[in-house]
Amino acid sequence: MRYFIELSYRGTAYHGWQTQANGVSVQITLEAALTQRLGKPIYIMGSGRTDAGVHAKQQFAHFDVEEPLNLTEAFIYSINCILPEDIAIHAIFPVQPNDHARFSANSRYYQYHVTRQKNAFQSSLTYHFRPHLDIERMNAACAILLQHTNFQSFSKARANVTHFHCRLDFAYWQHTNADCLTFHIKANRFLWGMVRTIVGTMLEIGQGRMSLEQFEQIILARDRTIAGRAAPANGLYLVDVGYPAEVLAQRQKE
């Protein structure tokens, strides 16, 4: 049987989502907790890979077991007790055998948080960036971004993908208060490093160090070396992963 997990995590202490040799990942931590609770090796597949230091308010993963699980509130509570405090499971629910956490997803929504004021309690959760930013120019850049589908210029150079096309649903900047800005972006898929590189480039625009015409030329060039540097990981959040209603049908019943 196949089950989906809905979870969230603070990515500060992890070397990203995916299991890797050089550090502790969210995936391996979650697999260890499930293996301990179920008494057999459990391997999971996430909806996507977040980089080291990136957070997720909503992430999905799937795993397979031979026997049905007794999905009580106490069962989920027991796994959360095994997990560290910076990873939380919100739901576990059955899906069809061919439903896939990564390939069944039809959208991802990210936010990036920037603050002009240093906050001792938020240093790993927002990007402290002091220069004044022109939000109107940055939103004009967003309007240009939405006219395109090829984002090779914002993808890490060694990304192993077959194409660089993404369908953006929205992209915009918003003041959350006097000192904080949030970038919102949603698409059917994202390239490796794409959101952080877009943010880093738009910060150049917001400071008046890059024109809107230059920004569009960067997109058209399809060359990562001419885009701005990537913004730090600590301000980035995976906020929502979208699936067809039938995939999440059992989630509503749990």
Side-chain angles (χ1 to χ4, degrees):
M1 294 192 64
R2 177 160 291 185
Y3 289 88
F4 265 34
I5 307 172
E6 181 185 0
L7 69 147
S8 59
Y9 52 86
R10 185 171 68 245
T12 308
Y14 300 97
H15 287 238
W17 164 266
Q18 188 179 22
T19 298
Q20 49 193 292
N22 65 342
V24 178
S25 69
V26 178
Q27 180 182 2
I28 200 169
T29 305
L30 184 57
E31 287 176 342
L34 290 167
T35 295
Q36 180 179 335
R37 177 61 180 83
L38 296 176
K40 60 187 70 177
I42 300 295
Y43 304 99
I44 62 175
M45 168 64 69
S47 70
R49 306 170 184 176
T50 52
D51 286 343
V54 175
H55 319 290
K57 293 185 177 181
Q58 184 186 65
Q59 169 71 291
F60 285 93
H62 77 249
F63 66 98
D64 298 320
V65 290
E66 294 180 1
E67 301 294 333
L69 300 176
N70 184 19
L71 297 175
T72 63
E73 184 178 339
F75 174 74
I76 295 176
Y77 176 78
S78 68
I79 303 174
N80 276 324
C81 287
I82 298 171
L83 287 166
E85 292 185 353
D86 49 12
I87 301 176
I89 292 177
H90 304 293
I92 300 176
F93 55 95
V95 294
Q96 296 300 313
N98 60 342
D99 290 335
H100 195 284
R102 179 182 174 189
F103 298 122
S104 296
N106 52 26
S107 69
R108 282 91 172 168
Y109 167 29
Y110 283 89
Q111 292 178 357
Y112 193 94
H113 299 277
V114 179
T115 179
R116 298 191 70 228
Q117 295 295 329
K118 185 177 181 180
N119 186 322
F121 302 100
Q122 298 286 319
S123 60
S124 63
L125 301 175
T126 59
Y127 178 31
H128 176 216
F129 189 79
R130 183 63 184 167
H132 173 74
L133 295 169
D134 186 335
I135 192 172
E136 291 187 4
R137 292 188 82 247
M138 292 160 75
N139 275 325
C142 288
I144 293 171
L145 196 71
L146 291 169
Q147 297 173 13
H148 296 271
T149 61
N150 187 305
F151 300 105
Q152 184 172 353
S153 290
F154 302 116
S155 175
K156 288 187 178 180
R158 64 181 187 275
N160 184 22
V161 295
T162 57
H163 68 88
F164 296 91
H165 291 276
C166 308
R167 186 199 69 244
L168 298 187
D169 294 328
F170 57 71
Y172 63 93
W173 288 86
Q174 180 183 48
H175 278 291
T176 48
N177 60 48
D179 295 312
C180 297
L181 276 175
T182 300
F183 178 57
H184 303 260
I185 187 166
K186 181 179 179 182
N188 65 321
R189 66 191 289 263
F190 285 92
L191 306 170
W192 187 18
M194 176 175 164
V195 179
R196 290 170 55 198
T197 307
I198 288 173
V199 170
T201 306
M202 287 196 175
L203 293 178
E204 297 289 306
I205 294 169
Q207 295 173 84
R209 298 169 61 177
M210 180 184 295
S211 69
L212 297 175
E213 291 77 14
Q214 288 173 315
F215 179 66
E216 186 156 36
Q217 287 306 309
I218 287 172
I219 299 172
L220 294 172
R222 302 179 182 180
D223 181 357
R224 172 64 186 91
T225 64
I226 64 172
R229 66 178 185 176
N234 56 301
L236 183 59
Y237 292 75
L238 175 60
V239 173
D240 178 83
V241 184
Y243 293 93
E246 58 269 21
V247 175
L248 302 181
Q250 293 299 316
R251 173 193 181 204
Q252 309 304 324
K253 299 177 183 179
E254 296 301 321

